[in-house]
Amino acid sequence: DEVRSDRHESTALPESTALPAPTAASLRDALLHHLRFTVGTTPERASAFDWRMAVSHTIRDRAVDPWFESVRRTEAEDRKRVHYLSMEFLIGRILEDAAINLGLRDTIDEVLDGFGLSFTEIAEGEPDAALGNGGLGRLAACYLESMATVGCPGYGYGLRYEHGLFEQSFENGRQVETPENWLATGNPWDFTRPETAYRVGFGGEVIEEGGRRIWVPRSRVLAAAHDTPVVGYGARWANTLRLWAAMPGAELFDLDRFNAGDFAAASEAEALARSLTRVLYPNDTTDGGKQLRLSQEYFLSSASVQDILARHLGAHDDLRRLPESVAIQMNDTHPAIAGPELIRLLVDEHGFGFDAAAGIATQVLGYTNHTLLPEALERWTVGLMRHVLPRHLEIIEGLDTQFVELQGERPDPVRLIGGDQVNMGDLAFAVSHKVNGVSALHTDLVRKDLFPVHDELHPGRIVNITNGITPRRWLKLANPALSELITDTIGSGWETDLDRLRGLEQHADDPGFQEAFGRTKRLAKVRFADWLAAEHDIEAPLDALFDAQVKRLHEYKRQLLNILWTIARYQRIKRDPGAGWVPRVKIFGGKAAPSYDTAKEIIRLINDVARIVNDDPETRDLLRVIYPPNYGVSMAQKLIPASDLSEQISTAGMEASGTGNMKFALNGALTIGTLDGANVEIREHVGAGNFFLFGLTTDEVAARRSEADHARTAIMASRPLQDVLQSVAEGAFSPDEPHRHGRLVDLMWNSDWFLVASDFDAYDSAQDEVDRAYRDSHHWQRMAILNIARMGHFSSDRSIREYMSRIWDIPAAL
Ligand code: GPU
């Protein structure tokens, strides 16, 4: 149901319009041109905003040639492309990242300097593109950047939410959410393509006509493309991030119904269009159950699959050969309806038989699983599915029948539709040729606990691809001082070949290098502390150990363990102030889903503890608790380089991978962590001696949970924990409302599903070990340097190359 085809992207650039070489002089001319003709002002009158717009357009222009050239080559060489479908892209700011990848970071700096302006200040005016919740969305952003850097032809497909993740503030320690508004001042990065638009149907019924099933939707919404070029490092390749916006417009208004007097129905599609891409669902590890969410997922899937087929048919006439030119990767089950949608289009619109269509879909699709948490495994009721997507329900029933047949005589077969629920994980598995977990441990558990039957029926379909992070944003951009030191020491090249960091190993014991590394850490601390003071009026003592836990608030991530331990430390300092404590700043950051009450109570406890501890003159030089509000990508870029200790303390078996863990270690923070997710592999790479391990293993967690009264038993065995819980229960941190945290204390004693009590003493001992190691500064610096040197494996370039060879079957174009 394409409205107009894509003409823009295949247009090769005529020689004559190619831009002049990007010298300071030519960039200056371009900047003044944009200031005058795009922004409509003069250097004398331009505000910081005006300058940022002009700079962004100047930089964006430079992405266009590599972008067109990449499309031209992909088409000329008829290359296979990957299409990464994700409900989330947690990008952050774009300007500085683009400038770095285009090799223009220093030149534009120089140009702005000529106007008495600071590039850094201008860049920091840009709002974060926060079209995601946490790790899953940030991973998608790292992967797009790596695809462009290694030369993997492809597209990111997502939704252009008008409002990204909510903004968090604290009122009396409580989380308050306000709408985010990143588009309010215009987005200089996207190319709007109102003519590249598809109709997406919702609801209605399926009728039979000449032996064919025909879906007659009740309403149709237009999906319009907005494209952002994604340039790889060195600008040798660029891909497209295509975000769909639901478009109101004449197309949507049902004039026939209106004329027939059905006024409400006539504007139904219009109302749906207005709400579809209005706002990102703020749940991390989603707990769905909302019709609008299913509609969003279908809107993304349908528009993207239609676009993919249209592009294929623009160059080939045979859809049977789709798997030779197209791979589609589903980022968790959120876009899993793309499977049934592809089958529907092949069967209903292109005349394929069901089995042939399902076969093609399966060869094209891949599914990445990001969680085992039962509340996060998407399920939709059959009733809702029939109401929103009646034809897709029939197709899922067909796939279910196939899948049950495959299981032969198995007594209690796994069903894609179980009872009155459609299981999106089972569906995604059934329509994919590869299913991957995101760390070695997680993939093991996916095999054993989540999909044992599927695994038996399709041996080899499940593979592991451990997550990665882009070293451009998370080292070169975020930590310029350390990056420079690294380049001075081992030369450049590590940006695209992160294994070269190994070259730092031989300097780990060198006091000169240690000192230089220490200076970069200090600089990062100053930068972060200055920002904290300016932005949040929070003071951070620079000589303390910076101990950070930043991530979404979730019980399984155990911020509660961290804050309870902080209270224990506070009590000990009070008891024995002169015991030679290592000064610590405990840094927390992260948002709770607005409906997640327990997570919000934990936020309040942290803020309550901060208020008491930070105001206590006896302890404030030795212990500080800070919780800057509204953690996001840009805050992470400042905080991570400044950190000494990285808290990765989830209950074993529950964090699929973690990626923050990688960012910290790459910036020379040591990890205190459990054997969970990618922690396991990080520890193997950096060396067990350079990692503070504690806690129950996955198997021990399962065993402990089955012990009656494990919480009470563990608390009774730990005097420090008892004291902590008692003080919280008595209101030591909420004197105005002594019982404020009673429910959390009660949860600890009576349930403690996440085994905070069981791991408390082990965590406490590991924290003692941290102090001991930190006191020996040479020892600490050595460990930190070895962490950096051995993190090459965790570049997202490595992850993407694995996807290309093991799932997508795409060779690098470069
Ligand atoms: N993750 Br499912 C999210 O951030 N959101 C989700 O909805 C789901 C998973 C995270 C995992 O919790 C984290 O362990 C992992 O590193 C990340 O996805 C990327 O794989």
Side-chain angles (χ1 to χ4, degrees):
D1 233 351
E2 190 182 0
V3 175
R4 283 290 163 77
S5 77
D6 248 345
R7 282 165 287 107
H8 325 270
E9 50 187 84
S10 49
T11 312
L13 196 73
E15 249 357 279
S16 60
T17 65
L19 289 170
T23 59
S26 69
L27 281 188
R28 187 175 180 280
D29 289 349
L31 180 64
L32 290 172
H33 181 93
H34 276 300
L35 198 61
R36 182 175 180 87
F37 295 106
T38 307
V39 185
T41 190
T42 62
E44 295 71 38
R45 291 165 175 270
S47 67
F49 169 79
D50 295 331
W51 281 110
R52 178 165 66 79
M53 288 296 139
V55 173
S56 298
H57 279 283
T58 303
I59 296 295
R60 189 184 78 165
D61 288 350
R62 295 288 162 174
V64 169
D65 287 357
W67 193 26
F68 285 0
E69 177 58 15
S70 301
V71 173
R72 192 199 60 73
R73 277 188 55 189
T74 303
E75 288 177 351
E77 297 165 23
D78 195 21
R79 283 180 173 279
K80 187 170 180 180
R81 288 183 257 223
V82 66
H83 308 81
Y84 196 89
L85 270 58
S86 179
M87 286 288 282
E88 305 190 12
F89 286 92
L90 187 44
I91 298 167
R93 292 180 182 136
I94 296 175
L95 174 55
E96 188 173 6
D97 188 64
I100 287 176
N101 280 8
L102 287 160
L104 301 174
R105 171 70 180 73
D106 294 340
T107 316
I108 195 72
D109 208 60
E110 181 192 328
V111 169
L112 286 167
D113 201 58
F115 292 100
L117 296 162
S118 142
F119 175 71
T120 305
E121 267 171 41
I122 286 172
E124 293 199 347
E126 183 179 356
D128 276 25
L131 310 183
N133 277 289
L136 172 142
R138 184 53 235 176
L139 186 76
C142 282
Y143 280 1
L144 278 190
E145 198 270 355
S146 275
M147 281 162 49
T149 296
V150 309
C152 174
Y155 283 78
Y157 279 109
L159 294 182
R160 186 175 185 266
Y161 303 108
E162 214 173 299
H163 304 287
L165 186 60
F166 67 84
E167 281 181 5
Q168 176 197 55
S169 58
F170 298 133
E171 275 176 23
N172 290 320
R174 261 192 293 245
Q175 170 173 296
V176 173
E177 304 101 24
T178 46
E180 184 281 344
N181 214 2
W182 71 300
L183 293 176
T185 46
N187 175 3
W189 297 104
D190 73 14
F191 291 86
T192 303
R193 309 208 187 279
E195 293 184 312
T196 301
Y198 299 88
R199 293 187 188 88
V200 179
F202 294 90
E205 56 191 358
V206 182
I207 58 173
E208 179 97 23
E209 217 178 73
R212 288 179 54 214
R213 308 289 294 165
I214 296 176
W215 178 25
V216 186
R218 180 178 170 84
S219 21
R220 290 174 199 274
V221 175
L222 266 190
H226 293 252
D227 289 349
T228 300
V230 181
V231 192
Y233 188 73
R236 300 168 63 220
W237 192 265
N239 287 322
T240 304
L241 170 60
R242 173 159 285 186
L243 301 178
W244 301 109
M247 213 169 46
E251 300 253 5
L252 301 172
F253 190 68
D254 193 330
L255 196 60
D256 292 341
R257 273 198 195 155
F258 187 83
N259 289 337
D262 188 356
F263 305 123
S267 33
E268 227 173 76
E270 208 177 328
L272 182 59
R274 268 200 299 270
S275 57
L276 258 178
T277 51
R278 185 60 80 74
V279 58
L280 165 80
Y281 267 76
N283 300 330
D284 183 68
T285 59
T286 315
D287 196 353
K290 291 263 173 39
Q291 177 170 336
L292 181 60
R293 168 75 182 190
L294 175 60
S295 301
Q296 286 187 333
E297 293 181 353
Y298 179 61
F299 185 72
L300 163 65
S301 302
S302 176
S304 307
V305 171
Q306 289 186 61
D307 196 38
I308 291 164
L309 293 187
R311 192 173 299 112
H312 180 81
L313 289 172
H316 309 83
D317 45 19
D318 193 349
L319 282 169
R320 282 176 303 183
R321 301 181 66 176
L322 192 69
E324 290 167 34
S325 32
V326 167
I328 299 177
Q329 192 65 29
M330 300 182 289
N331 200 20
D332 214 87
T333 56
H334 315 153
I337 199 69
E341 174 69 354
L342 177 51
I343 295 170
R344 180 187 75 85
L345 290 169
L346 292 176
V347 172
D348 294 3
E349 315 233 318
H350 297 280
F352 281 79
F354 184 82
D355 289 354
I360 291 171
T362 305
Q363 288 179 72
V364 164
L365 291 160
Y367 155 45
T368 305
N369 174 282
H370 296 267
T371 187
L372 305 167
L373 297 187
E375 67 268 31
L377 299 177
E378 285 189 300
R379 295 172 209 282
W380 302 104
T381 65
V382 169
L384 179 62
M385 193 62 91
R386 183 177 295 117
H387 181 64
V388 180
L389 301 168
R391 178 63 180 133
H392 298 78
L393 180 61
E394 292 183 350
I395 289 164
I396 297 168
E397 284 165 350
L399 292 166
D400 185 45
T401 304
Q402 272 190 349
F403 187 57
V404 170
E405 271 167 21
L406 197 65
Q407 294 174 67
E409 300 300 292
R410 184 180 285 274
D412 197 4
V414 174
R415 304 288 303 262
L416 310 188
I417 306 176
D420 74 334
Q421 306 239 288
V422 182
N423 301 319
M424 299 305 277
D426 296 297
L427 170 64
F429 197 113
V431 296
S432 297
H433 70 292
K434 285 285 187 296
V435 174
N436 76 287
V438 291
S439 72
L441 173 67
H442 169 67
T443 302
D444 261 8
L445 298 172
V446 165
R447 251 188 222 111
K448 291 195 196 107
D449 296 345
L450 193 58
F451 294 130
V453 175
H454 290 274
D455 186 38
E456 201 183 308
L457 295 168
H458 297 291
R461 188 173 285 191
I462 300 177
V463 298
N464 175 247
I465 300 189
T466 299
N467 285 165
I469 57 170
T470 168
R472 273 75 63 183
R473 183 177 291 263
W474 295 110
L475 184 51
K476 194 172 181 77
L477 188 162
N479 203 338
L482 178 57
S483 297
E484 212 177 299
L485 174 63
I486 291 171
T487 301
D488 288 349
T489 310
I490 61 169
S492 63
W494 55 268
E495 295 93 337
T496 51
D497 181 6
L498 203 61
D499 287 325
R500 292 202 199 174
L501 293 180
R502 279 271 171 195
L504 297 173
E505 257 187 42
Q506 64 182 107
H507 304 280
D509 285 311
D510 170 0
F513 186 76
Q514 288 188 353
E515 202 185 300
F517 167 68
R519 276 196 300 271
T520 68
K521 185 61 74 183
R522 178 84 185 187
L523 258 171
K525 285 184 177 182
V526 170
R527 278 217 312 169
F528 177 59
D530 286 351
W531 174 83
L532 268 178
E535 240 16 71
H536 298 291
D537 201 20
I538 295 175
E539 187 209 21
L542 292 171
D543 292 316
L545 186 164
F546 280 30
D547 170 349
Q549 184 174 22
V550 287
K551 49 187 78 242
R552 286 300 288 260
L553 259 288
H554 226 295
E555 286 163 281
Y556 82 82
K557 296 178 188 282
R558 298 200 295 194
Q559 283 93 351
L560 185 57
L561 173 59
N562 190 347
I563 194 64
L564 293 179
W565 180 84
T566 303
I567 296 171
R569 165 65 57 109
Y570 174 62
Q571 295 178 337
R572 287 166 174 152
I573 298 175
K574 295 285 279 182
R575 249 180 269 130
D576 188 1
W581 302 102
V582 172
R584 287 223 199 190
V585 187
K586 300 287 298 184
I587 304 166
F588 292 84
K591 299 177 184 179
S595 61
Y596 191 168
D597 292 333
T598 305
K600 290 181 139 179
E601 285 172 27
I602 295 169
I603 288 181
R604 188 139 199 229
L605 176 61
I606 297 169
N607 281 324
D608 279 351
V609 172
R611 191 174 320 143
I612 299 288
V613 168
N614 298 345
D615 278 353
D616 191 329
E618 271 177 16
T619 59
R620 42 178 290 122
D621 290 340
L622 297 174
L623 182 63
R624 215 63 78 82
V625 180
I626 68 180
Y627 194 163
N630 206 37
Y631 176 69
V633 172
S634 288
M635 194 195 299
Q637 287 169 195
K638 291 206 162 65
L639 179 149
I640 291 171
S643 297
D644 300 299
L645 186 67
S646 158
E647 301 267 352
Q648 308 298 337
I649 61 178
S650 50
T651 316
M654 304 200 72
E655 188 70 273
S657 161
T659 46
N661 47 5
M662 302 168 187
K663 294 162 197 168
F664 278 101
L666 181 61
N667 282 277
L670 301 185
T671 305
I672 181 167
T674 49
L675 282 180
D676 199 15
N679 291 356
V680 177
E681 291 152 84
I682 292 174
R683 179 167 170 268
E684 281 166 9
H685 275 84
V686 304
N690 304 307
F691 186 108
F692 301 101
L693 180 70
F694 77 97
L696 300 176
T697 62
T698 305
D699 292 341
E700 290 164 350
V701 163
R704 180 62 55 92
R705 277 181 177 157
S706 67
E707 285 174 26
D709 249 6
H710 60 80
R712 193 163 296 272
T713 311
I715 297 170
M716 293 311 288
S718 171
R719 188 59 207 269
L721 181 55
Q722 281 168 48
D723 292 347
V724 167
L725 291 175
Q726 193 184 340
S727 71
V728 175
E730 287 170 351
F733 304 97
S734 52
D736 52 322
E737 190 190 345
H739 299 296
R740 184 181 295 157
H741 301 293
R743 218 185 65 92
L744 284 180
V745 175
D746 197 63
L747 263 176
M748 284 293 302
W749 279 97
N750 296 313
S751 135
D752 195 20
W753 178 251
F754 302 95
L755 302 177
V756 169
S758 287
D759 272 344
F760 189 86
D761 285 353
Y763 179 60
D764 188 28
S765 306
Q767 289 286 16
D768 280 345
E769 226 185 288
V770 169
D771 282 343
R772 272 196 298 278
Y774 195 76
R775 280 192 200 99
D776 180 350
S777 150
H778 286 296
H779 178 56
W780 185 276
Q781 309 278 48
R782 180 191 138 80
M783 289 198 290
I785 293 162
L786 289 178
N787 265 262
I788 300 168
R790 297 171 179 175
M791 283 299 290
H793 183 70
F794 299 95
S795 165
S796 44
D797 298 348
R798 186 269 312 151
S799 309
I800 283 300
R801 289 197 177 95
E802 287 190 26
Y803 277 93
M804 291 168 71
S805 70
R806 297 170 62 198
I807 299 184
W808 303 335
D809 193 25
I810 296 181
L814 296 174

